[in-house]
Amino acid sequence: MEVILMAVKSVYFFGNGKAEGDAKMKDLLGGKGANLAEMTNLGIPVPPGFTVSTDVCAAFYAGGRKYPAGLDKEVLAALQRLEKSIGKKLGDPDDPLLVSVRSGAPISMPGMMDTILNLGMNDKSVRGLAAKTANPRFAWDAYRRFIQMYGDVVMEVPHEDFEEALASMKKAKGVQLDTELSAEDLEKLVETYKKIVREDAKVDFPQKPLDQLWGAVNAVFGSWMNEKAIKYRQINEIKNIKGTAVNIQAMVFGNFGDDSGTGVCFSRDPSTGENEFYGEYLMNAQGEDVVAGIRTPEKIATLAKKNKVVYDQLIGIKNRLEKHFRDMQDIEFTVQQGKLYILQTRNGMRTGASAVKCAVDMVAEKLITKEQAILRVTPANLDQLLHPMIEPAAQKAAKALTKGLNASPGAACGKIIFTANEAEAWHAKGEKVLLVRRETSPEDIGGMAVAQGILTSTGGMTSHAAVVARGMGTPCIAGAKDVIIQGKTMTIGPKTYKEGDWVTIDGSTGEVFDGQLPLKTPEISKDMNTFLKWCDDIRATSKRGNIKGFEVWTNADQPEDAKRAFQFGAQGIGLCRTEHMFFDKEKLPYFRAMIVANTTEKRKEALKKILPLQQKDFFGIFKAMEGRPVVIRLLDPPLHEFVPHTDAETSELADQLKIPVTALKAKVESLKEFNPMLGHRGCRLAITYPEIYDMQVEAIALAAVECVKQKIPVHPEIMIPLIITTKELKVLRANAEAVLKRVFAAAGMKVPIIIGTMIEVPRAAIRATDIVQYADFFSFGTNDLTQMTFGFSRDDAGSFLPSYIEQEVLEVDPFRSVDEEGVGFLIEVATNGGRLVKPNLPVGICGEHGGDPSSIEFCYKAGLSYVSCSPFRVPLARLAGAQAVLKGLEKPTKPAAKKPAAKKPAAKKAAAKKAADKAKKPAAKKAVAKKATAKKAADKKPAKKAVAKKAVAKKAVAKKAAAKKPAVKKVAAKKAVAKKAAAKKPAAKKK
Ligand code: ADP
Ligand code: MG
Ligand code: MG
C-alpha cells in the first residue's frame, strides 16, 4: 500500500557540505535539525545525518501513534545515503556505522526529551569496532553506554539499576572514575547490563540494528508527550508547535581516548554577558558526561594548552556562528582523536544581566540594531535584574559556610527542602523554600520553579540545575562539593541542617550562608541604563494619531518609593494613594476620630488636625518627583477599613475620644457593610462628607504653594475615584475648584492643578463622552474595572478563579492581564469617547495591569498616553512599552491579516461619525458591533490557545516561572502579531 507516492517530504539529509534544510526551517526540522543543516551548509564540520520532520511527529500522534505511510522507505533511503557517505553500514559486524538518535523541537527544551548515542552496537559489531579501531576499551565503553541509554529510554529499565552495576564494578576495581575501567571490566559490565535488561524487560537486548533504530525513533517521538516535557511546555508557555523532529546522525567519539573529548561552550558568558569565550569540557568522555556532574569538567581556556589547534579552530567557529546567527551561541562539540566536530548550536539561554549586556554590546559591535536589541531582551529578563542581593554590610559580616559555583546570580533565602515534590508542597503552604539537591534532573522542574534558590553539591556551570536556574532567573549555586546531603539533612563542615532550616545563598558569588541574611535590591547598571534609554527614545518618538509618546509612570505614595521609581526611570506618578498615609501612627488617631464623628463639626475638627500632616506628605512627594506629574487620588476605600478591630484598640480610641466604649462599638458596628467593595467608598464618601475631599485638596494646594515658595518645581494633579455619573464629577470638581481658589487667593499665587477622574466602573466607561466634560484626564483603575466588569470580588475570587483558569473557562487571570475583550473593550470605549470631545485627553492606567507586559502592549494599542505601575516594575514597563511600539510598527506580513484591517476603517468611520453626531450618546453600542466584526475576522485560533496555555502554566508554577526563557519570546511574539489586528484602537485620532 505504500505504493502511493509520498506527497510530502518527511526526511531531510545533511552532510558533506550540503543540506536539504536550513536555519529557517525550525518549525519543520526542529531547532537542532535546522541548525545542523545550516552549519553543514556553512561548511562547519558536522557529522552527517538526516532529520525526520516535526510533521511526522504530528501525524504520529494524530494517527494514534502510527507513522504516515511510506515513512519507513524514506528513512531507509536516507540511512543508505548516510551509509554511503560514511562508507560504513549501520551495525556492520566488521566495521559498524554508529548513529545517535536525537530529539529536537522547534523551541529548545533542554534535557526534556530523549537522545540515544552509539546506536548500532551489538554483540558482534562491538568486536568489529574493537578490532577496526584497535581500541577495545573504547568499543566496550561505547557498547555499555548504548545499552544503558537504550535500556533506560526505550526499554524503560530503571537507570539506577545500571548505575548501581557501574558503581559496584568501580568499587570492585578500587577506582573512582569510569575512565579507569579497562576493556575487560567494561566487557564484563556489558554482560551484567544485558542481564539487567533481560530480567527487567523480560526480553533480550535487541541485536538487529534496524530494530534498534526504530525503537529509538519511537522513543524520541514518544518523549514529546512524556510528563516532564508536557510540564516544561506548560511552564514556559510553549504552544502551537507540531512536535519534535528526530535527528539521526553519524556518531563521533569523545570517549576514544585522551586525545578525544566533549564539551559545551558559549560564545559569550551566559551569566554576565561579557564577551568572553565560556565553556567546559571533559577529555575521554561522551555526550552528557559534561552536564551529568559525575566528573568535574574543565574550563574551556585550558583546552588551549591541551590542543592549541583544536582550541583555535573552536574559537574561529564560535565567532563565525555568532556573526552568522547574530546572537550569543550555545555550542556542543566533540573532539575525536584531535579532530573537532560541532554537534549543536543554538541561541544561548542567558540571565537578565547577560541579555542586557549582550544586547548593548552587540549594538556597539554593529551586529544588531537598537530595535533588534530591544526586541531581544524580555521584560522578565529585566525583572530578574532587580532581584535582591544580600545587603553588602551583612554579607561582609557573615562568614560563608562554603562556596560552590556561582551558577545563576541573585541572592535567595529560604527554608531548605531536599526534594522537588516537597518544595512544591511547602511552597503551596506559603513557605519560602530553597531547594537543596545533589544534582537536579528534568523531573525536578516543578520544584525548581517555586524555589527561591537552588543549591546543588555536584555539577558544573552547565549542569542541569545551572542552566535551568539561569533561564528562570532563580539564584543558584551548583557543585558546592562540601555540602554533604544525606536523606533530609545537609552537612557543611561541623554544621548540620535539617529540612526547614533557613539558609541564604548568593548565586553571584557562590557563597552559602547560615540563616536569613537581609536582602537588598540592586541599582540599575550602566548597560541597563543605556538600554532603557533606547527604550525611552522609541516610546517618546512613537505616534498614534495626535497622541505622541507612550510614558511610564509609577504608583507611589511615599517619598522613598517615589525616589526609587524615579531612579528606575518613572516619568511621573500615576497613582498616589492617600489612604496609606492615614495608617501612619501620627495620623491614624485623628483619622479614626474623623470617621466616628457624629457631627460635621467634630469631623472638621479632626480633619483640621490631619491637614498639616497630609500637606507634609504631599510636599515630600512633590519634592522627590522634581516637577514630574504627581496624580493624587482622593480618599478611596470604605471608612470601616480604618476603624479599630480589636477590643484593646477600641477602648484606647474610646478613651482618647472621651466617649463610652459601647457607643464607639455601636458606631463601628454601624460602619460595617455587606459588600464594602460596592459600598460607601470612593467619591461617594465626598458626596456624603464633602469636608474630607476639601481637606485633601487644601493639603495638596498648600503643599504646592510651599513648593513654589521654595522654588521646587511642582506638578500636582487631582484624581477623583470611582465616578459613575457626570453629575457626581460636576459637583466634586466644583468643590475642589472652590478650595483651590480659596487657597491660592490667600497665598497670592496660582499653581496650575488639573482635575481628572478614574474610570473604574463600567458605567463611567460607557458614559465617558459625557463625563469628560468635567475631567482633564482619565485614568483606568483596572483592578476595580475588572472586578466590576466581571462581577468578581477581588477579595473573594481566590475561591473560584483557579478553577476557571484550570478548566480554561477563562484564558487568563483577568486581575493579572487585562481581559481585552471585556475590560479592554471598555477601556477603548472610554478612551475614544473621551477623545471625541477632547482629542488630546491624557489617558493612563494605574491598576496592577500597568506593570504586566501583555497589558502594556494592549494599552499602547488602545491609545493610552501612559501606564503607571509599581516602582519595581518600571524598568520592565519601559521595555515592554518600547516593544509594543516596535511590534506596532511591524507590517502585517500575512495576506490574511489584511482582511480585517481593510474592513475596519469603514466600520470605524461609521461608529466615529455616529458618536460625533451625538456626542452625548456614547458610541458603545456601535462600537460593540464594530469590535465584534473586527474581532471575528481577526481572531486566530493560535493566539487564543497561546493565551489559554499561559494561564495553565501560570497556575501550575508560581510567580518564578513567569520568568520566561528567551526561547519563549517567539511564541509571545507570534501571539502578539496574531492579535494585532484584533485590538487596533479605533481612536478618534482623525477627526
Ligand atoms: P540534548 O537536546 O539533551 O542536548 P542532544 O541530542 O544534543 O540532546 O545530545 C546529547 C549529547 O550527546 C550532547 O552532548 C551531544 O553533543 C551528544 N551527541 C549527540 N549526537 C552525537 C553524535 N552524533 N556524536 C557524538 N556526540 C553526540
Ligand atoms: Mg544538546
Ligand atoms: Mg479603585
Side-chain angles (χ1 to χ4, degrees):
M1 2 163 228
E2 63 265 19
V3 256
I4 304 160
L5 279 177
M6 288 279 303
V8 251
K9 184 171 169 63
S10 300
V11 178
Y12 293 76
F13 194 82
F14 56 90
N16 308 325
K18 261 192 81 167
E20 293 173 339
D22 62 39
K24 291 191 289 298
M25 295 165 70
K26 285 207 168 70
D27 284 346
L28 190 65
L29 302 182
K32 200 180 284 170
N35 281 359
L36 285 170
E38 185 85 1
M39 287 193 290
T40 302
N41 286 330
L42 288 172
I44 285 168
V46 171
F50 55 90
T51 304
V52 183
S53 79
T54 57
D55 278 345
V56 173
C57 187
F60 177 73
Y61 283 106
R65 300 202 175 223
K66 277 203 192 72
Y67 293 114
L71 179 75
D72 46 353
K73 282 206 164 160
E74 218 183 330
V75 167
L76 215 57
L79 178 63
Q80 281 161 2
R81 193 170 161 190
L82 178 62
E83 289 176 332
K84 224 171 141 191
S85 91
I86 299 270
K88 296 179 188 188
K89 282 201 169 333
L90 184 69
D92 187 295
D94 298 322
D95 183 13
L97 162 69
L98 302 183
V99 296
S100 62
V101 178
R102 318 172 65 186
S103 57
I107 286 176
S108 167
M109 301 168 53
M112 290 299 138
M113 290 178 299
D114 297 325
T115 280
I116 291 159
L117 305 182
N118 306 336
L119 189 137
M121 288 303 260
N122 58 29
D123 293 348
K124 287 189 182 125
S125 63
V126 66
R127 295 184 190 281
L129 186 67
K132 189 81 193 173
T133 58
N135 190 345
R137 194 208 163 274
F138 153 71
W140 287 104
D141 186 48
Y143 195 17
R144 72 97 191 160
R145 284 171 185 271
F146 176 51
I147 299 175
Q148 192 164 342
M149 285 182 118
Y150 194 95
D152 173 13
V153 169
V154 183
M155 307 180 83
E156 292 175 354
V157 178
H159 63 102
E160 298 88 27
D161 293 2
F162 296 117
E163 266 149 36
E164 265 166 36
L166 176 62
S168 59
M169 171 63 86
K170 286 198 281 195
K171 202 167 165 206
K173 289 279 147 187
V175 299
Q176 294 279 318
L177 304 173
D178 49 71
T179 45
E180 295 168 304
L181 294 173
S182 68
E184 290 71 39
D185 300 335
L186 291 165
E187 186 175 347
K188 267 191 216 128
L189 195 58
V190 162
E191 279 314 307
T192 315
Y193 275 12
K194 286 200 296 191
K195 217 173 105 209
I196 291 171
V197 168
R198 200 174 308 124
E199 272 164 17
D200 203 277
K202 311 272 178 271
V203 284
D204 282 328
F205 190 79
Q207 295 291 317
K208 284 191 193 138
L210 277 184
D211 289 352
Q212 294 175 351
L213 183 66
W214 282 104
V217 170
N218 288 339
V220 171
F221 279 136
S223 68
W224 174 250
M225 286 295 182
N226 72 31
E227 210 181 301
K228 63 184 176 187
I230 290 172
K231 194 155 189 187
Y232 184 92
R233 289 197 291 273
Q234 282 181 355
I235 290 172
N236 293 290
E237 305 174 16
I238 298 172
K239 249 280 159 181
N240 306 317
I241 48 181
K242 289 182 266 191
T244 183
V246 177
N247 302 286
I248 293 151
Q249 186 177 27
M251 283 301 303
V252 289
F253 303 100
N255 57 333
F256 203 87
D258 288 333
D259 57 354
S260 306
T262 185
V264 181
C265 58
F266 292 81
S267 60
R268 301 185 190 218
D269 190 325
S271 290
T272 66
E274 282 312 323
N275 193 356
E276 268 164 19
F277 191 30
Y278 179 94
E280 292 172 330
Y281 71 100
L282 275 175
M283 296 312 276
N284 199 7
Q286 189 179 38
E288 311 281 34
D289 289 0
V290 176
V291 290
I294 300 155
R295 280 156 67 191
T296 304
E298 298 190 53
K299 289 222 154 56
I300 198 79
T302 65
L303 183 62
K305 285 183 215 111
K306 290 218 170 77
N307 192 332
K308 183 87 170 87
V309 177
V310 163
Y311 181 76
D312 289 345
Q313 210 182 338
L314 189 57
I315 295 264
I317 288 174
K318 73 103 181 159
N319 286 341
R320 224 177 126 197
L321 288 174
E322 189 180 271
K323 273 224 173 69
H324 184 76
F325 290 103
R326 294 172 185 276
D327 201 353
M328 183 246 281
Q329 295 298 295
D330 166 355
I331 301 160
E332 288 175 6
F333 66 92
T334 283
V335 180
Q336 180 179 336
Q337 296 175 287
K339 184 163 169 21
L340 175 68
Y341 296 92
I342 304 297
L343 288 159
Q344 189 173 342
T345 193
R346 61 180 168 212
N347 295 340
M349 288 195 181
R350 63 204 76 181
T351 61
S354 179
V356 172
K357 176 112 181 82
C358 285
V360 171
D361 285 355
M362 285 181 186
V363 169
E365 294 161 27
K366 299 205 164 37
L367 212 56
I368 55 174
T369 63
K370 282 180 190 171
E371 287 77 10
Q372 285 171 316
I374 289 169
L375 288 169
R376 197 173 269 183
V377 177
T378 64
N381 280 151
L382 290 192
D383 194 27
Q384 211 187 90
L385 279 179
L386 302 169
H387 277 176
M389 58 196 246
I390 300 173
E391 287 277 7
Q395 185 150 14
K396 237 181 174 176
K399 198 177 160 325
L401 296 165
T402 183
K403 202 169 167 179
L405 300 171
N406 51 341
S408 178
C413 185
K415 294 184 172 175
I416 62 170
I417 301 294
F418 296 95
T419 71
N421 283 340
E422 276 157 323
E424 284 189 84
W426 282 58
H427 170 81
K429 289 184 297 184
E431 299 281 2
K432 289 188 165 181
V433 302
L434 197 85
L435 184 63
V436 178
R437 292 189 59 70
R438 224 163 270 144
E439 61 197 354
T440 62
S441 66
E443 283 83 3
D444 297 333
I445 189 89
M448 296 172 80
V450 300
Q452 302 289 315
I454 298 162
L455 170 63
T456 70
S457 58
T458 64
M461 293 297 280
T462 50
S463 65
H464 180 264
V467 171
V468 172
R470 279 200 294 273
M472 288 176 168
T474 303
C476 172
I477 296 176
K481 55 183 185 332
D482 300 337
V483 173
I484 313 295
I485 299 161
Q486 279 167 318
K488 288 191 173 184
T489 64
M490 163 178 96
T491 307
I492 307 175
K495 286 206 120 170
T496 296
Y497 297 83
K498 51 185 199 315
E499 184 181 67
D501 288 344
W502 284 93
V503 164
T504 302
I505 62 167
D506 185 343
S508 309
T509 63
E511 291 169 304
V512 183
F513 298 94
D514 178 69
Q516 284 177 272
L517 292 188
L519 305 184
K520 147 180 199 276
T521 303
E523 313 280 297
I524 291 191
S525 74
K526 199 169 145 259
D527 284 323
M528 177 122 120
N529 250 328
T530 307
F531 179 77
L532 288 172
K533 285 262 155 56
W534 296 341
C535 295
D536 295 345
D537 290 345
I538 293 284
R539 294 198 326 281
T541 51
S542 75
K543 231 178 143 235
R544 292 155 294 162
N546 46 10
I547 304 303
K548 289 195 191 74
F550 183 46
E551 300 202 335
V552 174
W553 294 15
T554 193
N555 300 348
D557 20 276
Q558 301 296 327
E560 311 87 78
D561 291 346
K563 250 182 231 147
R564 174 182 297 130
F566 171 27
Q567 280 157 8
F568 282 170
Q571 294 164 285
I573 291 183
L575 175 62
C576 175
R577 298 178 172 97
T578 48
E579 56 270 20
H580 292 174
M581 296 173 177
F582 297 124
F583 280 110
D584 184 296
K585 272 221 163 54
E586 228 182 334
K587 273 163 273 177
L588 193 56
Y590 299 125
F591 197 67
R592 283 175 167 171
M594 187 278 288
I595 291 168
V596 299
N598 280 325
T599 64
T600 313
E601 267 53 57
K602 279 240 164 69
R603 205 161 22 247
K604 282 189 170 162
E605 211 174 280
L607 286 167
K608 222 178 228 152
K609 301 250 175 49
I610 303 172
L611 176 69
L613 300 170
Q614 179 117 77
Q615 182 188 334
K616 211 171 93 195
D617 288 332
F618 291 140
F619 180 77
I621 293 199
F622 293 158
K623 204 172 150 190
M625 286 311 280
E626 300 177 13
R628 285 171 187 74
V630 177
V631 177
I632 296 160
R633 176 178 72 184
L634 303 182
L635 192 66
D636 181 58
L639 296 179
H640 84 97
E641 280 189 15
F642 300 92
V643 299
H645 293 293
T646 65
D647 280 349
E649 277 183 316
T650 310
S651 48
E652 195 186 323
L653 182 64
D655 267 5
Q656 185 198 320
L657 298 175
K658 299 189 182 64
I659 55 170
V661 176
T662 46
L664 179 59
K665 272 198 171 153
K667 179 74 197 179
V668 168
E669 197 56 35
S670 77
L671 286 168
K672 284 227 175 84
E673 294 177 310
F674 286 107
N675 283 313
M677 281 294 189
L678 303 176
H680 194 185
R681 56 174 289 219
C683 63
R684 292 159 212 175
L685 292 169
I687 293 290
T688 49
Y689 308 129
E691 55 277 10
I692 298 179
Y693 277 14
D694 286 353
M695 180 279 289
Q696 294 197 291
V697 172
E698 187 171 350
I700 293 167
L702 288 171
V705 166
E706 183 64 27
C707 283
V708 173
K709 281 187 184 154
Q710 295 191 28
K711 300 206 167 23
I712 297 167
V714 60
H715 181 170
E717 301 187 2
I718 291 171
M719 179 158 79
I720 298 175
L722 221 67
I723 284 290
I724 49 174
T725 79
T726 309
K727 192 69 183 286
E728 237 176 354
L729 187 59
K730 183 182 177 184
V731 169
L732 296 174
R733 183 183 177 107
N735 288 351
E737 281 175 337
V739 174
L740 292 178
K741 205 171 159 193
R742 173 162 56 78
V743 174
F744 293 146
M749 67 166 83
K750 205 176 167 226
V751 186
I753 298 181
I754 60 172
I755 300 170
T757 184
M758 288 183 83
I759 302 287
E760 49 188 339
V761 182
R763 192 184 192 287
I766 292 164
R767 302 296 302 165
T769 37
D770 208 13
I771 286 174
V772 75
Q773 295 171 69
Y774 299 101
D776 300 324
F777 65 87
F778 282 170
S779 177
F780 292 103
T782 44
N783 299 343
D784 267 315
L785 189 57
T786 301
Q787 166 169 269
M788 307 223 197
T789 303
F790 278 80
F792 283 177
S793 155
R794 274 148 75 181
D795 298 336
D796 303 312
S799 56
F800 55 85
L801 203 48
S803 310
Y804 272 72
I805 309 277
E806 215 156 289
Q807 295 174 40
E808 299 185 15
V809 177
L810 281 178
E811 294 174 342
V812 285
D813 176 347
F815 290 108
R816 184 180 172 130
S817 279
V818 168
D819 151 53
E820 296 186 16
E821 294 176 350
V823 175
F825 172 64
L826 288 172
I827 290 176
E828 288 177 333
V829 165
T831 305
N832 301 331
R835 289 197 181 139
L836 273 180
V837 180
K838 298 184 178 172
N840 296 315
L841 183 78
V843 180
I845 179 174
C846 62
E848 287 309 306
H849 303 89
D852 168 63
S854 80
S855 305
I856 293 172
E857 191 176 329
F858 170 78
C859 289
Y860 176 75
K861 288 185 292 200
L864 267 57
S865 320
Y866 67 86
V867 296
S868 186
C869 57
S870 71
F872 282 104
R873 297 191 82 78
V874 165
L876 76 88
R878 289 164 75 189
L879 169 62
Q883 291 185 335
V885 174
L886 292 175
K887 284 176 195 166
L889 295 175
E890 272 173 18
K891 293 153 219 114
T893 43
K894 287 184 197 125
K898 277 202 170 153
K899 240 186 176 173
K903 251 188 182 170
K904 270 185 102 174
K908 184 168 68 179
K909 226 194 265 165
K913 190 169 178 290
K914 262 271 161 63
D917 289 348
K918 257 192 171 184
K920 278 215 154 179
K921 193 174 175 187
K925 266 190 196 157
K926 278 283 128 126
V928 175
K930 168 191 66 179
K931 172 84 181 196
T933 353
K935 188 89 196 168
K936 215 186 265 168
D939 242 355
K940 278 186 190 155
K941 279 211 183 97
K944 276 210 162 160
K945 276 195 188 145
V947 178
K949 264 297 99 103
K950 192 160 142 193
V952 178
K954 263 171 200 159
K955 216 258 132 168
V957 181
K959 265 202 233 152
K960 271 281 167 61
K964 280 168 207 152
K965 306 265 147 57
V968 182
K969 249 195 314 201
K970 205 170 151 191
V971 174
K974 262 192 208 150
K975 179 179 110 189
V977 173
K979 271 198 199 158
K980 199 155 73 186
K984 260 208 190 135
K985 89 193 152 106
K989 46 186 181 186
K990 275 160 211 154
K991 268 200 23 163

